Every structure is written in structure tokens, then in C-alpha cells.
Amino acid sequence: MTTHHFHLQAHWPDGRNGSGTISSGQLQTRVSIPPEMNGPGIGTNPDEMLLGAAATCYIITLAAMLERSNIEKTDLHMNSEGIVDVTNGVFTYKKIIHRPTLTLSSTATERDRERAKKLAIKAESSCMISKALKGNVDIELELTLL
């Protein structure tokens, strides 16, 4: 069995409406509470980082699955949306919606297109971040295949 360890250093010298910093490998940024939650909006925030982790894990997983299946793409880009519910002052990350647009090569067959659709769905359940969120945050997929 192989394990990988990831480390993050955080520093928060201020109060609730202040800001801090995080550092982890190539990620080095300021953080604060987002303006949507009555914070100062300095740097990034946990909500954006959770969405970013889910989105990058999904798109990398899908790209790898397409490559392993020898399905040639000419482009893959995605918009993702995170939905946070606020009920009685309690913030709950409810849902993430990934909206990938996958463009296959002009030589793609109908079989390639069907396999690509299946892989797009499978990538969401195969991504380790999606697995970590399962049962807590709903993740939806709205694929556009060109």
C-alpha cells in the first residue's frame, strides 16, 4: 500500500473579519471570509478552495480516463458552481455542479462519443475529492459534448 501525505501551513493573526495566509507546495495565497458571508473578501476562501479541489480533481480524472481509453479530444474546459445554503445562520455546502465541455476530434466515432459520455459520468465518481465529499455534498454533472 502506498500513502501520500500533503501538508499545509496556515497563519491567521486577525479576528473573524481579518485575513490570513496558507501555503502548501505550489499554493501560496491569502485567505479570508468571502464577501457573500459578510467577510472582507481578501484572497481566496474555503468555499472557493473546496470548489477548486472538486473541479480540478474531476477534470484531471476525466482527461486521464479519456487518454487511457484512446479517445482523442481537442479541448476540455469546465465551469463549476458551488451552492452554499444558509438556514438559521448555519452555512452548509450543499451542492457542486460541474459543467464540462468536451470537444472530441473530428475523427471521433459514435462509439467514441458514447464512451466519452460514460467516462464523463464515471470520472465524477472516481475522483478522490468526490469520494471524500460523498454523502455530504451533492455533485451533479451537466456535460456538453461537441
Side-chain angles (χ1 to χ4, degrees), residues 1-144:
M1 180 171 101
T2 302
T3 60
H4 300 279
H5 298 256
F6 299 92
H7 302 275
L8 182 138
Q9 294 77 42
H11 181 238
W12 192 273
D14 298 321
R16 182 204 184 275
N17 283 324
S19 66
T21 59
I22 58 169
S23 176
S24 178
Q26 298 298 310
L27 174 64
Q28 297 178 17
T29 190
R30 294 182 71 185
V31 293
S32 73
I33 296 171
E36 297 88 346
M37 297 177 180
N38 299 317
I42 298 169
T44 190
N45 57 70
D47 308 283
E48 290 175 343
M49 289 189 293
L50 181 64
L51 182 59
T56 55
C57 185
Y58 173 80
I59 203 165
I60 291 168
T61 301
L62 177 55
M65 293 174 120
L66 292 166
E67 183 177 295
R68 281 193 302 270
S69 297
N70 296 313
I71 297 175
E72 188 178 334
K73 65 176 176 54
T74 59
D75 193 24
L76 173 57
H77 65 272
M78 184 170 73
N79 292 310
S80 292
E81 178 181 1
I83 300 169
V84 175
D85 175 70
V86 183
T87 302
N88 298 323
V90 176
F91 294 81
T92 305
Y93 216 112
K94 297 299 280 184
K95 183 187 296 187
I96 292 173
I97 305 168
H98 295 310
R99 296 181 179 102
T101 299
L102 172 60
T103 306
L104 298 183
S105 73
S106 59
T107 60
T109 64
E110 189 55 38
R111 183 174 183 260
D112 291 336
R113 296 178 65 74
E114 288 303 314
R115 287 177 54 220
K117 287 179 191 176
K118 288 178 183 175
L119 290 174
I121 294 166
K122 185 176 180 181
E124 188 277 313
S125 62
S126 299
C127 160
M128 73 176 183
I129 300 299
S130 295
K131 289 178 184 178
L133 296 174
K134 189 174 184 169
N136 293 307
V137 178
D138 293 330
I139 300 179
E140 292 182 8
L141 181 67
E142 297 175 6
L143 173 67
T144 300

